[in-house]
Amino acid sequence: MSENYRELLLNEFPKIVEEIINSMKTKIPKLALDHLKKNIEYNVPHGKLTRGITVIETFKSFLNDADSEKLKKAIILGWTVEFLQGFFLVADDIMDKSLMRRGQTCWYKLESIGEIAINDSFILENILYKLLKTHFKNDKIYLELMNIFHKISWKTEMGQMLDLLSTPPNTTPNFETFTKEYHEQIVNLKTAYYSFYLPVALGVILASNYREDLNTKQLLKEAKPILLEMGKYFQIQDDYLDCYGDPQILGKIGTDIQDGKCSWLIVQALEIADENQKQLLYKNYSHDSPKSISIIKKIYQELDLDSKFHTYENVAFENLEKLIESLKIFPKEILRNFLLKIFKRKK
């Protein structure tokens, strides 16, 4: 079913691009239109589309008999989350000085782009609001949709700020922030809200546009803690894959060590390392020399962080299954399907 929804999303994408370009045809020259189109097509549709698919799946769970017009609304709403994701990724790659994203060169690294990518990221964000206005301005949920995007964007940007402040530029990492509590704050704000809570919330809100009996607040209140916990699990997977994953499968090269990121691995390492290992971690973490990276990875190996992650993953999965089973009013299948998509993922 997810594959069918992915196909629905991809089939609609060219129409969305055409809609956006046509809305600007009389306002900006062809040079700018061509760049706008390239920006959208390069940065938005090449991921797994899990967020967009989840919007549709959630909506259909509450409105299984949705006609083609209502389903199209869900597809459009799914793409708004993917545009938000594109905005975050383009900006994040610049801040992290990343090289690859989704199996292709980062947008800002293209010779013809460079710092233009900063403005391009803003454009991707604003396209989602153009889509909301075009397709939902006459719906009773329009203001609610606008509010949730603003709210979640704010939380994500606060999470990004925490992430960046733990590793200020041109200096050593702020190791005092490398704690479980600080890492969890980053994860919660930077990843869990927009990747897990937002797509489900959008699906529920859209369904409430057609079903008066749905209590959106109660439904999301019950699902929210589980979705945030799922987001935490997802980000810890991401931290692990950055170091241990296959770049060919991931579509990017892990850089958390040389970037000095406050990741799950370094937090775990600092908690259990002996004094000698800690000094080596302090000395070599955030350096991009092959020797320093090798020293960090060797300590990770000595501390058996690979096994510790797999133990964590299994426990987290079991805990999430129990939490999902305890749901009283929110459909269990929605969250169960979401969890199965990310369990033991490789990218």
Side-chain angles (χ1 to χ4, degrees), residues 45-57:
H46 302 298
K48 297 186 288 294
L49 305 184
T50 302
R51 295 165 186 82
I53 289 169
T54 300
V55 174
I56 304 172
E57 284 182 340

Side-chain angles (χ1 to χ4, degrees), residues 136-169:
F136 297 94
K137 65 181 176 183
N138 295 322
D139 290 284
K140 64 182 181 181
I141 59 170
Y142 179 51
L143 184 58
E144 193 173 0
L145 292 175
M146 293 286 285
N147 282 340
I148 194 168
F149 269 106
H150 284 304
K151 183 178 179 180
I152 299 301
S153 294
W154 171 257
K155 286 182 181 294
T156 308
E157 287 154 13
M158 289 300 103
Q160 179 72 351
M161 182 177 69
L162 289 178
D163 185 19
L164 295 169
L165 289 175
S166 68
T167 312

Side-chain angles (χ1 to χ4, degrees), residues 114-268:
E115 292 181 356
I116 296 172
I118 297 170
N119 192 64
D120 288 338
S121 73
F122 301 156
I123 287 171
L124 294 177
E125 179 192 26
N126 275 280
I127 285 172
L128 83 85
Y129 292 108
K130 282 178 68 68
L131 290 173
L132 288 179
K133 185 175 182 181
T134 300
H135 296 277
F136 297 94
K137 65 181 176 183
N138 295 322
D139 290 284
K140 64 182 181 181
I141 59 170
Y142 179 51
L143 184 58
E144 193 173 0
L145 292 175
M146 293 286 285
N147 282 340
I148 194 168
F149 269 106
H150 284 304
K151 183 178 179 180
I152 299 301
S153 294
W154 171 257
K155 286 182 181 294
T156 308
E157 287 154 13
M158 289 300 103
Q160 179 72 351
M161 182 177 69
L162 289 178
D163 185 19
L164 295 169
L165 289 175
S166 68
T167 312
N170 306 315
T171 185
T172 57
N174 185 0
F175 286 110
E176 287 184 4
T177 65
F178 283 32
T179 64
K180 284 182 180 179
E181 294 74 22
Y182 193 91
H183 178 261
E184 192 161 330
Q185 277 188 304
I186 294 174
V187 168
N188 198 33
L189 291 169
K190 184 181 174 181
T191 302
Y193 272 99
Y194 96 89
S195 291
F196 288 83
Y197 177 70
L198 178 61
V200 170
L202 291 174
V204 175
I205 292 167
L206 182 58
S208 74
N209 198 42
Y210 308 106
R211 282 185 54 180
E212 297 287 344
D213 62 312
L214 288 186
N215 188 326
T216 305
K217 284 187 178 179
Q218 286 299 107
L219 285 163
L220 293 179
K221 182 179 179 181
E222 185 181 48
K224 183 177 178 180
I226 302 174
L227 289 164
L228 295 184
E229 193 63 27
M230 215 180 288
K232 174 185 170 184
Y233 163 49
F234 178 87
Q235 184 58 54
I236 289 173
Q237 282 180 315
D238 222 46
D239 291 353
Y240 170 82
L241 290 170
D242 185 271
C243 181
Y244 291 96
D246 182 347
Q248 292 296 112
I249 297 174
L250 278 177
K252 63 179 180 178
I253 300 165
T255 59
D256 281 358
I257 292 173
Q258 49 267 52
D259 290 344
K261 290 291 184 181
C262 177
S263 86
W264 184 83
L265 293 171
I266 188 64
V267 169
Q268 293 293 313

Side-chain angles (χ1 to χ4, degrees), residues 47-96:
K48 297 186 288 294
L49 305 184
T50 302
R51 295 165 186 82
I53 289 169
T54 300
V55 174
I56 304 172
E57 284 182 340
T58 304
F59 172 70
K60 286 282 286 179
S61 294
F62 288 101
L63 207 76
N64 192 44
D65 60 347
D67 59 28
S68 58
E69 185 180 333
K70 290 169 185 170
L71 183 58
K72 183 179 177 180
K73 291 253 194 181
I75 294 168
I76 298 293
L77 205 52
W79 275 118
T80 61
V81 192
E82 295 296 337
F83 271 93
L84 184 71
Q85 165 78 336
F87 155 54
F88 286 148
L89 295 186
V90 171
D92 190 66
D93 286 342
I94 298 167
M95 288 181 270
D96 288 349

